[in-house]
Amino acid sequence: MSTLTAPAVRAPRRAWLTDLPVLLVAVVWGASYLAAKGITTSHTVIAVLVLRFALVLPVLVVAGWRRLRALRPAQVQGAGVLGLILGGIFLLETYGVVHTSATNAGLIISLTMIFTPLAEAALNRRTPSRSFLAAAGLSVLGVVLLTQGGGFTSPSLGDFLILLAALARTVHVLAMARIRAVQDADSLSLTTVQLGTAVLLFALLAAAGTGDSPWSAAADFGPAEWAGLVFLSVFCTLFAFFVQMWAVRKTSPSRVSLLLGTEPLWAAAVGIALGGERLGALGFVGAALVLAGTAWGRRAA
């Protein structure tokens, strides 16, 4: 009897040993919106992005130097294109979170889970199922209510920028699937080139005088700002990337995706509990509809 039941007891424990780090990634990603909002102003967006990724890029280069050197020119070029899109995503997200709440940012960005299957269906000339279209409609209605606060008003600039970031994430996902040169590229090398391209983009924008320079922004940082920057760099970027690579080898990509899909929940929880943000009655209804719609859409897709 004991020899039959022991494996059944150990298997869930082994699964949770894999699931917990992935869930922790979702938590830190959810908290990243409030962290970015706490250390960034409209004048320091570029500077913070340069500092955030310049801190982790050398680690990625050293960790994957051999595989990085083995990339073919076409793979480097394809990864560079993806890196430009990725840079645009971070610019939209960071400027967006400066002008809206961390709660709104985390929930609106989850619309990527709806936009991506819709875009893929359009490219493949397929009609999405009725249940998926209903889920998409529910999510959009949720975003409309979420952005109203105490009454029906125009969405903020930040809400609009985060919505554009969700669309840019969709473009990034589709580009990764359609750029043939990167299909067989090593994931660590691919990410390193993408981040390197994004940092180069941010550095060029900083050199052009777009906001404060990274050096002046860093000089004005206090302990709280440096802690926020380290959190974004080490936990939300470096730790998150390596956990994803490790988890996909230990479990299924769908399980990893499901756990990472809880990010909007943590963004809302952190924004309300630690950021003192308030949604109002309409906002809470909208948040519930966004979460329900994206979860339903994920299953329907």
Side-chain angles (χ1 to χ4, degrees), residues 8 67 78 91 94 163 172 189 195 221 245 297 299:
R67 286 170 288 181
L91 286 169
T94 311
L163 187 63
H172 188 259
S189 302
L195 288 182
F221 277 3
M245 285 188 62
R299 289 195 298 271

Side-chain angles (χ1 to χ4, degrees), residues 133-209:
L133 291 175
L138 191 66
S139 299
V140 172
L141 175 61
V143 168
V144 171
L145 295 178
L146 174 69
T147 58
Q148 298 313 303
F152 286 96
T153 59
S154 299
S156 70
L157 172 63
D159 295 329
F160 180 67
L161 291 174
I162 296 295
L163 187 63
L164 289 179
L167 290 170
R169 281 194 182 191
T170 297
V171 172
H172 188 259
V173 170
L174 295 178
M176 285 190 69
R178 292 176 180 273
I179 298 178
R180 293 184 179 180
V182 303
Q183 298 304 310
D184 58 346
D186 171 67
S187 57
L188 175 58
S189 302
L190 183 63
T191 300
T192 303
V193 175
Q194 286 187 76
L195 288 182
T197 305
V199 170
L200 179 60
L201 173 64
F202 303 147
L204 291 174
L205 290 173

Side-chain angles (χ1 to χ4, degrees), residues 121-134:
L123 288 173
N124 294 328
R125 298 182 180 180
R126 288 187 291 101
T127 302
S129 66
R130 291 182 180 180
S131 59
F132 182 82
L133 291 175

Side-chain angles (χ1 to χ4, degrees), residues 193-243:
V193 175
Q194 286 187 76
L195 288 182
T197 305
V199 170
L200 179 60
L201 173 64
F202 303 147
L204 291 174
L205 290 173
T210 309
D212 294 349
S213 71
W215 328 116
S216 61
D220 291 336
F221 277 3
E225 287 77 15
W226 278 111
L229 184 65
V230 169
F231 174 75
L232 289 171
S233 298
V234 175
F235 290 96
C236 300
T237 307
L238 197 61
F239 167 77
F241 171 71
F242 280 107
V243 165

Side-chain angles (χ1 to χ4, degrees), residues 243-265:
V243 165
Q244 285 182 87
M245 285 188 62
W246 169 79
V248 167
R249 289 171 172 80
K250 292 286 185 179
T251 184
S252 66
S254 59
R255 189 175 182 88
V256 172
S257 177
L258 181 64
L259 291 167
L260 293 179
T262 63
E263 176 191 343
L265 286 171

